[in-house]
Amino acid sequence: MFKKIYLSFLLIIFLVGCQDWIDVSPKTEVKGDEIFRTEDGFKSSLIGVYGRMTKSETYGKNLTFGFVEQLVQRYDNYTVGMVPSDEDRAKIYDYNNNSESKGRINVIWKEMYQTIANINNLIVNLDKRGDDVILTKGYRNIIEGEAYGLRAYHYFDLLRLWGPIYSENPDALSLPWRNELGYEKAPLISANEIVDNILSDLIHAELMLADDPMNFGVDTEDSFLGYRKYRMNLMAVKALMARVYLYAGDKANAAKYAKEVIDNSKLSLVTDNSKDVAFSGEALFNLNMYNMEERLMSDWKNTVNMNTELWISTDNIRTVYDFYSTGLNDIRYKNGYGFLHGSNQYMCRKYIGTHFEFKNVVPLIRLSEMYLILAESIEPEKSHTYINELRNVRGISRSSNIGAGISEAERIELLNKEYQKEFFAEGQWFYFLKRHNIKTFYRCPVEEMRYYTLPIPDDEVEFGDVSE
């Protein structure tokens, strides 16, 4: 219990200490200049970025279990007895006229670029005075490596949402890239240029984090170097590189980095999620959301009596987890493990953990994804090995193992199913569907899914010039 309380206490201290910096905008960067005059200021500024990421506008909801999951029709959170029609469910894709969708899109864009502005402010000040102010051995590189990794993380999700189907149109103008502070507007640049910039940041982060202690637990001698799974650590950077390379179609590098993480992270796939509801034991990068139970109570409830929380129906869950064939003992489905089972209402348990060691966790990158990336990046006839390993650990019998020699189409179909199961309420399935431009999916309410690319907000004026 001490470990979790201590972590939350540290976050409170850091977030209170850097609140002014958190709210600083690119056009008023002088406001946050004072904090960078001490080593502790740099540390609290970095932790402030993680605090911002837990806001509901981004990774505290919209980009994990919220808007991105709703785009792939995950939930049945309607008033009982009032089942929405396909037409009703399809309204979410009317991005320009549906006020709820438009509002979500606008706030995600704004908050993501605000966080990037804060990261840029940190990086600029590292260059200006980091060597003079940060005196503890190794701290400067750690802070710089995390900052570059975090910037890459945010830009990559912006690209995955606002960018094109990359395999079809990598030259499409997509986003403004901002890596410095100032008044100047930034024009849109192409998706492949964004990818190059992201990889450049990640390569730099990997270099800076070469001596990362990778301490995933408490460090009693140096608290700043503990709990690395709640920070952008070296393995998280490598895992993100695997994601980006696969997105860009570079399967050789995707496989290389995914295998490196599997072999060197010193983590194992979780076999029991009855307490570890968010699979924290295999986390490469989590967020710690202070007071999660209270903050998320309208969406997640540890009870079988559900109303408009994010529950799903019997037909929904049994289809997703292949209940009638291989899924009966799948820990991602089982009662008291992956879900809380009610009467035609099933609640995912990833955000309602009660065990002190596994509370307040928002999963962002997990080891299981590396198995799926590796399975997609090697020869199709060999990919069954990694898919089977993940499925077996999750409780699917070896008698149901996938055989060798599957085709490319079969591989994509199998991976599609595993992304759908594995990352329920985490937001990653949408990105898989978009990356492969899959025209329809389970519960898709439209004849053809043509809504993978979000429109740039109409009032985008503060963080970039979106004119072509």
Side-chain angles (χ1 to χ4, degrees):
M1 177 180 287
F2 167 76
K3 294 179 180 180
K4 207 66 175 178
I5 293 174
Y6 183 63
L7 176 60
S8 295
F9 176 75
L10 281 177
L11 285 173
I12 294 169
I13 295 299
F14 281 129
L15 292 178
V16 171
C18 64
Q19 190 63 46
D20 286 343
W21 182 85
I22 292 172
D23 293 333
V24 73
S25 71
K27 294 182 179 179
T28 57
E29 64 266 22
V30 176
K31 177 182 176 183
D33 192 58
E34 293 293 321
I35 200 168
F36 297 110
R37 297 191 176 186
T38 67
E39 182 178 286
D40 283 345
F42 276 96
K43 289 159 59 179
S44 61
S45 297
L46 175 65
I47 298 302
V49 174
Y50 296 106
R52 278 196 114 257
M53 290 175 70
T54 69
K55 294 174 69 173
S56 63
E57 289 84 353
T58 55
Y59 298 100
K61 181 172 181 176
N62 279 337
L63 298 183
T64 49
F65 65 82
F67 185 63
V68 179
E69 287 289 84
Q70 291 164 331
L71 290 177
V72 287
Q73 307 292 327
R74 286 291 209 176
Y75 307 116
D76 297 296
N77 56 318
Y78 48 79
T79 300
V80 175
M82 299 180 64
V83 182
S85 66
D86 282 354
E87 183 179 1
D88 287 334
R89 292 192 298 115
K91 289 178 181 178
I92 194 172
Y93 304 128
D94 188 1
Y95 300 138
N96 292 314
N97 299 302
N98 182 301
S99 59
E100 184 175 355
S101 294
K102 190 170 185 176
R104 295 278 191 92
I105 290 168
N106 290 352
V107 77
I108 292 169
W109 175 279
K110 176 183 175 183
E111 289 294 329
M112 291 288 275
Y113 271 104
Q114 181 68 71
T115 302
I116 289 169
N118 288 344
I119 296 168
N120 287 340
N121 199 19
L122 173 56
I123 291 172
V124 166
N125 279 280
L126 275 170
D127 291 340
K128 283 167 48 176
R129 63 187 71 173
D131 289 338
D132 297 327
V133 171
I134 304 172
L135 301 179
T136 303
K137 183 179 180 180
Y139 273 21
R140 190 196 187 287
N141 284 357
I142 290 287
I143 294 171
E144 184 168 332
E146 289 187 41
Y148 273 83
L150 287 168
R151 185 167 68 184
Y153 191 94
H154 283 76
Y155 268 120
F156 186 52
D157 280 353
L158 282 167
L159 180 61
R160 292 199 290 181
L161 289 169
W162 275 272
I165 308 295
Y166 191 84
S167 61
E168 298 184 358
N169 192 12
D171 296 320
L173 295 177
S174 301
L175 300 170
W177 177 273
R178 298 187 63 89
N179 60 0
E180 56 187 25
L181 298 173
Y183 293 88
E184 298 79 9
K185 293 181 179 181
L188 296 181
I189 63 174
S190 67
N192 50 20
E193 289 177 284
I194 295 288
V195 167
D196 288 343
N197 289 342
I198 289 169
L199 288 172
S200 178
D201 272 4
L202 289 173
I203 290 167
H204 185 74
E206 183 182 26
L207 177 64
M208 290 295 99
L209 294 171
D211 296 322
D212 187 342
M214 291 303 300
N215 188 344
F216 283 164
V218 66
D219 189 325
T220 56
E221 295 183 0
D222 189 340
S223 59
F224 186 67
L225 297 181
Y227 292 110
R228 296 297 295 156
K229 70 170 57 180
Y230 291 98
R231 306 255 293 278
M232 180 57 72
N233 59 76
L234 177 61
M235 287 298 131
V237 167
K238 291 178 183 290
L240 184 53
M241 292 177 86
R243 269 186 187 177
V244 176
Y245 277 122
L246 184 60
Y247 172 90
D250 186 346
K251 291 187 174 182
N253 272 315
K256 170 191 168 184
Y257 278 99
K259 187 68 162 58
E260 190 171 336
V261 172
I262 291 170
D263 291 344
N264 298 302
S265 66
K266 299 181 181 178
L267 298 175
S268 300
L269 294 171
V270 169
T271 59
D272 183 352
N273 61 334
S274 57
K275 293 180 180 178
D276 185 4
V277 292
F279 297 90
S280 180
E282 65 183 51
L284 298 161
F285 181 29
N286 284 333
L287 294 177
N288 180 275
M289 179 184 285
Y290 175 69
N291 205 16
M292 174 185 278
E293 183 177 2
E294 181 177 338
R295 290 172 65 179
L296 302 186
M297 63 187 304
S298 63
D299 294 312
W300 306 105
K301 186 181 294 184
N302 193 19
T303 177
V304 295
N305 298 311
M306 306 163 201
N307 188 18
T308 56
E309 295 82 15
L310 300 178
W311 57 273
I312 67 174
S313 67
T314 301
D315 287 344
N316 191 347
I317 194 171
R318 290 187 174 181
T319 301
V320 169
Y321 289 99
D322 296 320
F323 173 81
Y324 296 107
S325 55
T326 63
L328 181 62
N329 293 311
D330 192 328
I331 65 172
R332 298 169 295 190
Y333 157 82
K334 285 176 62 176
N335 188 24
Y337 289 77
F339 277 79
L340 186 66
H341 293 199
S343 176
N344 196 36
Q345 292 180 307
Y346 297 74
M347 176 71 71
C348 178
R349 297 181 68 237
K350 284 177 180 173
Y351 300 94
I352 54 174
T354 57
H355 191 276
F356 68 88
E357 189 176 352
F358 305 114
K359 292 180 68 173
N360 301 332
V361 174
V362 180
L364 295 184
I365 309 178
R366 294 192 286 111
L367 185 65
S368 58
E369 186 181 351
M370 299 302 104
Y371 282 79
L372 297 177
I373 288 176
L374 190 55
E376 187 172 346
S377 301
I378 60 176
E379 302 91 331
E381 58 271 18
K382 296 181 180 178
S383 60
H384 67 288
T385 302
Y386 296 100
I387 300 174
N388 285 335
E389 187 169 352
L390 175 60
R391 284 159 52 102
N392 295 158
V393 165
R394 299 304 192 231
I396 295 176
S397 171
R398 285 177 171 77
S399 64
S400 300
N401 274 1
I402 300 156
I406 59 175
S407 67
E408 177 64 16
E410 290 170 329
R411 169 163 69 174
I412 297 304
E413 183 178 350
L414 287 165
L415 289 169
N416 183 18
K417 194 65 179 178
E418 289 308 309
Y419 271 87
Q420 185 183 17
K421 296 177 186 178
E422 184 67 21
F423 302 110
F424 193 97
E426 295 182 43
Q428 297 303 319
W429 188 38
F430 173 86
Y431 299 127
F432 178 89
L433 294 170
K434 177 175 179 177
R435 182 157 53 82
H436 290 284
N437 197 18
I438 293 175
K439 300 300 184 182
T440 190
F441 51 85
Y442 174 59
R443 291 165 54 86
C444 182
V446 293
E447 186 174 342
E448 180 179 330
M449 183 59 176
R450 296 179 284 107
Y451 309 98
Y452 284 126
T453 298
L454 302 185
I456 292 175
D458 294 336
D459 59 352
E460 161 52 32
V461 293
E462 189 170 358
F463 297 114
D465 180 0
V466 300
S467 62
E468 297 183 9

